[in-house]
Amino acid sequence: MSMQYQARNGLTDKEARYTLTPTGIDWQAGEKSGSLAFDAITSLRLIDYVSPNGTAYQCTIKSHGHKPLKFRSQHYVSLGAFEDRRTGYSAFVRALLHRLEHRNDIRFIAGSTGLWIMWLSVGLIYLGVALVLVLVILEEVASINLSGIPAIIIAIVAVPLVWRSVRKGRAKRFDPRDPPASLLGAA
């Protein structure tokens, strides 16, 4: 039994259709098509990230001799317009993991250390800017200058996003028989 998932990752991409076969993944995007044997897969990474439509989920598959296959839970429709395809994405990724669960030579990775470092850096910069703003406002409290209030409001709103992303931590390995539900997008 084959399973399919279809999505367009972004403006410059064609809509791609991925099909699980007994031996691998077939894909077609516009005029281009290909096949990736399960035996060639070296790693599978699941991540989530903030997008204009909320949280988006992404699966990246690396292999010997092929460009990485990357598909997302959000389908790009047009500039600024995305369609949520989490249900199909989640079912497809779960079926893929089920077919790969016996492979001990594949690195199953949850999260991204690069994204974590980026959010940690943003958090540190944010703290530095917040400290400067507080010092400036405390210095100007006597003259009742309210020019820094909008910046403080923006800073307070950004705290949960930065903290959530930093708290998730770096990339970790996971068992394909028990994938992290938080990175699959649907139950």
Side-chain angles (χ1 to χ4, degrees), residues 108-177:
F108 296 97
I109 306 162
S112 169
T113 299
L115 277 176
W116 178 75
I117 290 170
M118 188 260 323
W119 280 112
L120 187 60
S121 300
V122 166
L124 291 173
I125 291 168
Y126 168 78
L127 286 174
V129 169
L131 179 61
V132 169
L133 281 173
V134 167
L135 292 174
V136 166
I137 290 171
L138 288 176
E139 182 70 28
E140 295 185 8
V141 161
S143 64
I144 310 180
N145 184 346
L146 303 176
S147 62
I149 298 296
I152 291 173
I153 292 170
I154 291 170
I156 291 170
V157 170
V159 168
L161 171 65
V162 173
W163 177 246
R164 184 191 81 144
S165 298
V166 169
R167 193 182 70 219
K168 279 193 287 189
R170 339 182 153 143
K172 300 171 188 79
R173 288 192 172 214
F174 70 90
D175 183 344
R177 290 174 283 277

Side-chain angles (χ1 to χ4, degrees), residues 3 20 86-96 184 186:
M3 176 169 221
L20 292 180
R86 271 185 290 184
T87 303
Y89 169 86
S90 178
F92 187 82
V93 172
R94 285 182 189 278
L96 173 60
L184 291 174

Side-chain angles (χ1 to χ4, degrees), residues 11-12 19 21 26 50 64 82 90 103 108 115 119 153 182 185:
L11 175 67
T12 60
T19 305
T21 69
D26 291 342
V50 177
H64 296 294
F82 293 87
S90 178
R103 297 272 311 279
F108 296 97
L115 277 176
W119 280 112
I153 292 170
S182 63

Side-chain angles (χ1 to χ4, degrees), residues 51-103:
S51 76
N53 235 24
T55 302
Y57 303 89
Q58 178 177 292
C59 178
T60 304
I61 302 165
K62 291 187 178 178
S63 61
H64 296 294
H66 293 88
K67 283 179 57 178
L69 283 181
K70 188 180 295 186
F71 51 93
R72 299 181 179 136
S73 65
Q74 289 190 356
H75 170 69
Y76 176 83
V77 178
S78 63
L79 196 58
F82 293 87
E83 180 182 305
D84 185 1
R85 295 190 175 177
R86 271 185 290 184
T87 303
Y89 169 86
S90 178
F92 187 82
V93 172
R94 285 182 189 278
L96 173 60
L97 290 171
H98 179 71
R99 293 182 187 196
L100 298 174
E101 66 186 19
H102 67 283
R103 297 272 311 279

